[in-house]
Amino acid sequence: QVQLVESGGGLVQPGGSLRLSCVASGSIFAIHTMGWYRQAPGKQRELVGRIASSGSSSYAGSVKGRFTLSRDNAKNTVYLQMNSLKPEDTAVYYCNADLRDSDSYYYDEYWGQGTQVTVSS
């Protein structure tokens, strides 16, 4: 069974930094794209950024220049470095992966359980 487990969330002051990690584990054959979404109270879940296995990445306009994705393919891990955090970055952050497990011929979308990021003074 495939699982995505996030870590690294917490409370940080405006202007501060946090680094989120997400590890995919289980019977994984291959991972195509990994990324992060976030959902603030009363709002829809939105894309933060995604990174392909090649390292090519894309970001939402609201985080571009402040957030950086990286990936360790050997460890099935994706990282989100968040700098210059703002109160409006407060949300539950969800890891997402487009992967193929060992028993499937197809790629499916998997989600982590979410980690809370709160930016407040």
Side-chain angles (χ1 to χ4, degrees), residues 33-34 36 47-52 55-60 63-64 69:
T33 303
M34 301 185 79
W36 294 88
L47 174 68
V48 175
R50 304 186 78 188
I51 183 167
S56 175
S57 59
S58 61
Y59 300 89
V63 308
K64 197 173 293 184
L69 285 161

Side-chain angles (χ1 to χ4, degrees), residues 37-106:
Y37 287 70
R38 67 185 182 185
Q39 188 167 19
K43 295 188 176 181
Q44 289 189 331
R45 190 174 296 188
E46 63 176 4
L47 174 68
V48 175
R50 304 186 78 188
I51 183 167
S53 56
S54 64
S56 175
S57 59
S58 61
Y59 300 89
S62 58
V63 308
K64 197 173 293 184
R66 299 188 297 122
F67 291 10
T68 303
L69 285 161
S70 59
R71 181 169 167 173
D72 185 334
N73 291 329
K75 296 181 179 179
N76 291 336
T77 300
V78 63
Y79 305 96
L80 181 66
Q81 178 66 44
M82 304 185 293
N83 298 328
S84 303
L85 282 160
K86 305 175 181 179
E88 51 263 42
D89 295 317
T90 296
V92 177
Y93 283 70
Y94 295 91
C95 179
N96 171 271
D98 186 24
L99 65 84
R100 176 184 162 187
D101 70 39
S102 300
D103 297 325
S104 175
Y105 291 104
Y106 306 102

